Amino acid sequence: MIAGNFKILEDKILAACKSAGRNRSEIILIGVSKNNTISAIKEALNIGIRDFGENKAQELRDKCLLFEGDFNWHFVGHLQTNKVKYVIEPAEYIHSVDSSKLADEINFRAGKINKRQKILFEVNTSEEDSKYGLTKEDEVFKLADYCSGKENLEICGLMTMAPYTDDEVVIKKSFEKLNSLKGKLVTRGFNLRHLSMGMTNDFELAIREGATMIRIGTALFGHRDYNKSWKEE
Ligand SMILES: *Cc1c(COP(=O)(O)O)cnc(C)c1O
């Protein structure tokens, strides 16, 4: 099933790249494997997926022990300071940095294992107060300045979740906001490579608006069954 989903998904990604005049190689497909089983992830590895996203710290901590090989884990969910210790070893990227307190803890934990942790700042571009992330541009500038002095942090980009809606105008606005903010940070001297935006419902739009990382769960692994644990095969 995953192989079939992957083929359909890749065709859509390629078509979106083509219509946006972009190269497929500019975009990293992150298979969001949260709540998905070990065998599902193995299947995805077998067909060549090399980036996986998790949103629960303990799930990543436990899952990552069951795999080895040359691929990356991304932590994409909200991260509590007291759980940084669980993700600091496996996470190639942490997408959800949204406070100086969290940044401090990541810097501290990364320092302890001699790591330079790649981070993205999570931005709430949707003007909904239910979501995590920084809301104001000024807050992002401040946090970026704050983190730029930290030895064990590498600022790599920005992440957002668009509002859950069918209204393409609203979604587009959210992605444009993130892209424009990236531009402003680049002007301020930050060498940002990544825009992490686009999920199953909106990745084509995200590609058009400049995404370099798309985070796809459902379109790849199928619907998540939260009545079942990832530990059940
Ligand atoms: C679950 C999740 C995704 C993937 O969602 P789908 O709609 O299933 O593709 C992407 N990003 C984050 C932060 C998530 O928690």
Side-chain angles (χ1 to χ4, degrees):
M1 185 190 82
I2 293 169
N5 289 346
F6 178 57
K7 198 180 170 316
I8 295 165
L9 178 61
E10 263 305 320
D11 284 345
K12 289 183 178 167
I13 294 171
L14 283 170
C17 285
K18 199 170 170 208
S19 86
R22 300 187 60 196
N23 212 310
R24 173 66 186 87
S25 64
E26 294 168 32
I27 294 149
I28 297 170
L29 167 63
I30 301 171
V32 179
S33 49
K34 62 187 189 196
N35 213 69
N36 277 289
T37 60
I38 301 309
S39 57
I41 297 170
K42 286 198 170 139
E43 206 180 325
L45 274 167
N46 279 336
I47 56 177
I49 291 170
R50 286 294 171 269
D51 292 89
F52 293 91
E54 291 286 337
N55 75 336
K56 298 240 158 56
Q58 285 100 324
E59 188 170 333
L60 175 56
R61 174 197 64 189
D62 296 344
K63 250 182 191 172
C64 74
L65 300 174
L66 305 170
F67 296 91
E68 51 184 45
D70 186 19
F71 66 94
N72 299 319
W73 292 106
H74 298 248
F75 192 78
V76 301
H78 176 64
L79 186 55
Q80 288 170 269
T81 307
N82 63 344
K83 293 184 179 169
V84 170
K85 57 182 181 279
Y86 301 144
V87 307
I88 198 73
E89 282 200 41
E92 180 72 15
Y93 288 87
I94 296 175
H95 290 231
S96 47
V97 178
D98 61 358
S99 74
S100 55
K101 189 166 153 249
L102 179 59
D104 277 338
E105 176 68 6
I106 295 171
N107 184 54
F108 169 69
R109 294 275 169 190
K112 283 178 80 159
I113 58 167
N114 277 320
K115 183 184 189 189
R116 197 143 184 257
Q117 179 64 52
K118 296 184 176 125
I119 59 166
L120 287 80
F121 298 124
E122 181 169 356
V123 183
N124 178 349
T125 52
S126 68
E127 286 153 22
E128 290 170 350
D129 34 77
S130 59
K131 293 234 173 70
Y132 296 107
L134 301 156
T135 330
K136 300 210 169 58
E137 286 198 340
D138 252 7
E139 293 176 323
V140 183
F141 297 150
K142 252 196 190 156
L143 187 56
D145 286 338
Y146 184 80
C147 291
S148 66
K150 306 275 174 194
E151 200 175 333
N152 296 95
L153 298 179
E154 181 181 345
I155 304 170
C156 294
L158 303 174
M159 182 271 245
T160 200
M161 289 173 87
Y164 191 78
T165 170
D166 290 332
D167 188 342
E168 288 210 354
V169 177
V170 173
I171 298 171
K172 188 167 179 280
K173 222 175 106 187
S174 172
F175 292 156
E176 278 172 349
K177 229 184 195 174
L178 199 71
N179 200 351
S180 119
L181 186 54
K182 180 185 169 215
K184 288 176 189 171
L185 282 158
V186 169
T187 305
R188 287 172 169 251
F190 292 96
N191 174 25
L192 299 189
R193 295 194 303 280
H194 288 299
L195 278 181
S196 167
M197 57 190 198
M199 311 181 8
T200 291
N201 286 321
D202 53 24
F203 68 88
E204 287 149 305
L205 208 49
I207 289 171
R208 236 172 291 155
E209 301 302 327
T212 64
M213 290 171 160
I214 55 174
R215 309 181 308 267
I216 310 291
T218 311
L220 190 61
F221 292 104
H223 281 286
R224 290 178 288 275
D225 181 356
Y226 285 109
N227 292 316
K228 273 173 77 178
S229 156
W230 64 270
K231 291 174 187 164
E232 294 169 35
E233 293 289 343

